[in-house]
Amino acid sequence: DAMVIQNPRYQVTQFGKPVTLSCSQTLNHNVMYWYQQKSSQAPKLLFHYYDKDFNNEADTPDNFQSRRPNTSFCFLDIRSPGLGDAAMYLCATSPTGGSAYEQYFGPGTRLTVT
Amino acid sequence: QKEVEQNSGPLSVPEGAIASLNCTYSDRVSQSFFWYRQYSGKSPELIMSIYSNGDKEDGRFTAQLNKASQYVSLLIRDSQPSDSATYLCAVNRYGQNFVFGPGTRLSVLP
């Protein structure tokens, strides 16, 4: 089945220790998104790729970076995680940017910062 | 005013009843509207998308859109305990990203 896969599902890192979360998709969608979701809050968009074009949300901290080496894979790098970065990180894809296209989410990675 | 607003919840309904979830949005040129279901600790799952005024039905779910009133709703007929989850409304317009509402927590009581 075509799907969005995230690894790992659970990640524990230490304060200040860099961490990388990964997302892959078999849907061949050209848009990929990274969201941060904290408890009882809506998903918050961090950035997205339209093909190789990177789009950063204005309020995304510099501590968060992303890479998309090819259509199928996208990575979220947190350079120096703080306690406030503990959250669920969601990867989503859509067939193209714009209004008519649905976003499909992966299962998420729950990040704990100790 | 927040861009997308939803019932604060939690909304409790008895099993077999109709659950009605509401969403209002502020951007008049919004074009696409989505309902996602999110179980606790899981990722959002797309339930319905709607683009035109009126009703759209899929099984026990009906989405209703009224662009003049800037209002979109989700009705769940014959509610089941397995429908207990948080329901997120998402809105966007061409060239823009999704804006999510804060979500409404639904509890279906056996």
Side-chain angles (χ1 to χ4, degrees):
Chain A
D1 286 344
M3 56 198 310
V4 182
I5 301 161
Q6 290 188 245
N7 286 303
R9 296 291 308 277
Y10 302 91
Q11 176 73 57
V12 180
T13 191
Q14 293 177 334
F15 183 94
K17 185 174 181 181
V19 65
T20 294
L21 310 181
S22 73
C23 176
S24 63
Q25 55 132 340
T26 60
L27 298 163
N28 203 33
H29 287 170
N30 56 351
V31 190
M32 295 185 77
Y33 306 83
W34 279 106
Y35 289 88
Q36 179 193 64
Q37 187 177 29
K38 296 186 177 180
S39 181
S40 301
Q41 295 182 20
K44 177 181 180 296
L45 183 64
L46 296 173
F47 22 61
H48 75 278
Y49 279 91
Y50 192 126
D51 292 323
K52 285 189 174 295
D53 292 334
F54 177 70
N55 299 272
N56 197 34
E57 293 302 295
D59 58 354
T60 298
D62 292 341
N63 197 27
F64 292 85
Q65 305 285 319
S66 184
R67 296 169 283 136
R68 188 179 186 184
N70 54 52
T71 300
S72 300
F73 285 87
C74 196
F75 299 97
L76 170 62
D77 301 308
I78 308 176
R79 294 192 296 187
S80 181
L83 297 178
D85 297 327
M88 174 80 90
Y89 289 87
L90 298 164
C91 175
T93 72
S94 70
T96 190
S99 67
Y101 296 97
E102 301 147 346
Q103 292 188 17
Y104 298 92
F105 286 85
T109 295
R110 180 160 301 280
L111 178 68
T112 300
V113 182
T114 61
Chain B
Q1 181 187 7
K2 293 183 180 178
E3 291 186 68
V4 179
E5 298 195 57
Q6 295 183 245
N7 293 0
S8 57
L11 174 67
S12 294
V13 300
E15 184 174 355
I18 295 175
S20 177
L21 304 165
N22 304 315
C23 174
T24 58
Y25 58 94
S26 60
D27 186 348
R28 286 196 159 273
V29 297
S30 296
Q31 295 172 296
S32 305
F33 308 87
F34 307 89
W35 282 100
Y36 285 82
R37 176 176 64 198
Q38 187 171 26
Y39 293 114
S40 181
K42 304 295 185 182
S43 64
E45 173 192 6
L46 181 66
I47 300 175
M48 296 278 286
S49 55
I50 186 166
Y51 308 107
S52 304
N53 280 329
D55 294 0
K56 179 181 178 182
E57 187 174 316
D58 184 359
R60 296 187 296 113
F61 298 97
T62 299
Q64 299 175 317
L65 175 62
N66 184 327
K67 289 187 179 181
S69 300
Q70 295 174 237
Y71 175 92
V72 58
S73 66
L74 179 70
L75 301 178
I76 307 174
R77 291 182 299 282
D78 188 23
S79 296
Q80 302 296 309
S82 59
D83 295 324
S84 298
T86 295
Y87 289 80
L88 297 165
C89 172
V91 173
N92 78 334
R93 61 186 173 99
Y94 187 79
Q96 303 296 318
N97 291 311
F98 277 23
V99 178
F100 281 93
T104 298
R105 188 155 54 92
L106 172 67
S107 179
V108 180
L109 306 174

